[in-house]
Amino acid sequence: MTAPLLVVDSLTRRFGGLVAASDVSFTVAPGEIFGIIGPNGAGKTTLFNVIAGHYRPTAGRVSFEGKDISGHAADEVGRRGIARTFQAVHIFKNETVRANLHRAAVLARRHNPLTWLSRRPHATPDLEGTAAFLGLDMLLDNVAGSLAYGLQKTVGVGLAMMVGPKLMLMDEPAAGLNPSEKIAAAALIRRLRDERGISVLLVEHDMPLVMGICDRILVLNQGMPIALGTPADVKSDKSVIDAYLGEDYEFA
Ligand SMILES: Nc1ncnc2c1ncn2[C@@H]1O[C@H](COP(=O)(O)OP(=O)(O)O)[C@@H](O)[C@H]1O
Ligand SMILES: [Mg+2]
């Protein structure tokens, strides 16, 4: 078996008396698309924030490529090869698509470029190639904020790609998209993995999308893991149906 890319080991994060994530463990294999689902307030975004270095874990560890990154700062985590997209659009709306992608590449190298270069000698993807991959090549000189919402989210994926990640954390990539944009988003996530070799950890409420593209899924409820397995395992799990999906849930 190949070594996991990401290991989350007995991770707990408290906010005062509230346990937002409680003893959560899972691994993401190289080339895997791994989903995290659960009701609002289950701790999904908290987990992302701990993995991405925005919050320190209260207990437990996060390792990436065999190295402990628990509590490392966000830019250090980024340099190691973890990028993230946000639920809401986080782009430079008044700048062109080209300027957005350029800024992301510069920001990724801002701190200690020598460390960056020695650790990730192959990084910094080519801007035009990234735009072409995303179908944004004809829009490079358009102002990002003038694009349709779905395309603005695609620019957000482009910003994450410019970091040259091995793992992309995607927080609700389909939120706010119309049905055809959701289909395009699912196809794009698959292509990130299949054509760019980027593993994906995603949080998403759209069940057809999650069940259709994830290799494995972790289900959280009130900070606690209640199931972990393939889409088929999770769909038929009694505790998942009770806590989240509901008896009459239909998987379109
Ligand atoms: N920075 C914070 N300070 C205090 N409580 C927080 C903070 N971030 C999240 N929480 C709480 O942690 C719980 C889990 O939240 P969150 O991780 O955002 O859930 P999800 O993304 O699954 O909806 C919620 O009860 C939320 O209010
Ligand atoms: Mg959330």
Side-chain angles (χ1 to χ4, degrees), residues 8-233:
V8 172
D9 180 16
S10 310
L11 199 78
T12 294
R13 172 67 208 206
R14 292 194 190 92
F15 295 107
L18 178 92
V19 187
S22 175
D23 199 15
V24 178
S25 298
F26 65 94
T27 61
V28 178
E32 187 166 26
I33 300 176
F34 190 101
I36 303 177
I37 64 174
N40 280 333
K44 306 179 297 294
T45 297
T46 298
L47 266 184
F48 266 28
N49 283 331
V50 173
I51 295 166
H54 298 294
Y55 297 157
R56 289 177 168 278
T58 306
R61 284 162 35 107
V62 179
S63 333
F64 186 68
E65 296 189 303
K67 299 194 181 64
D68 190 346
I69 59 163
S70 322
H72 286 201
D75 52 357
E76 163 66 15
V77 171
R79 273 197 303 278
R80 288 189 180 274
I82 300 181
R84 131 170 234 200
T85 70
F86 294 87
Q87 179 175 343
V89 166
H90 271 59
I91 60 176
F92 306 101
K93 290 202 182 190
N94 296 324
E95 298 186 11
T96 62
V97 173
R98 185 189 305 280
N100 267 269
L101 297 178
H102 182 69
R103 264 179 184 262
V106 171
L107 283 174
R109 281 172 304 184
R110 185 181 48 175
H111 301 278
N112 199 347
L114 289 177
T115 313
W116 160 268
L117 286 173
S118 61
R119 238 181 237 161
R120 320 271 335 276
H122 61 282
T124 312
D126 135 65
L127 192 154
E128 312 271 338
T130 301
F133 176 84
L134 294 166
L136 295 172
D137 42 337
M138 308 297 280
L139 301 171
L140 273 171
D141 296 314
N142 289 51
V143 174
S146 71
L147 303 177
Y149 188 73
L151 288 170
Q152 294 190 29
K153 278 197 112 160
T154 308
V155 174
V157 176
L159 297 187
M161 286 181 74
M162 291 308 289
V163 176
K166 296 174 187 170
L167 176 69
M168 200 181 288
L169 311 183
M170 306 181 90
D171 200 350
E172 304 206 25
L177 300 186
N178 68 35
S180 60
E181 289 171 336
K182 282 185 182 179
I183 291 169
L188 173 58
I189 294 166
R190 276 218 184 88
R191 288 177 55 236
L192 283 171
R193 190 262 306 273
D194 296 347
E195 298 174 23
R196 294 297 170 113
I198 299 173
S199 305
V200 176
L201 176 61
L202 83 150
V203 165
E204 181 53 64
H205 284 293
D206 186 279
M207 284 305 110
L209 185 143
V210 169
M211 298 296 171
I213 65 173
C214 291
D215 298 303
R216 288 185 305 145
I217 297 168
L218 169 71
V219 189
L220 293 179
N221 189 34
Q222 297 180 348
M224 283 175 292
I226 58 170
L228 171 60
T230 63
D233 294 338

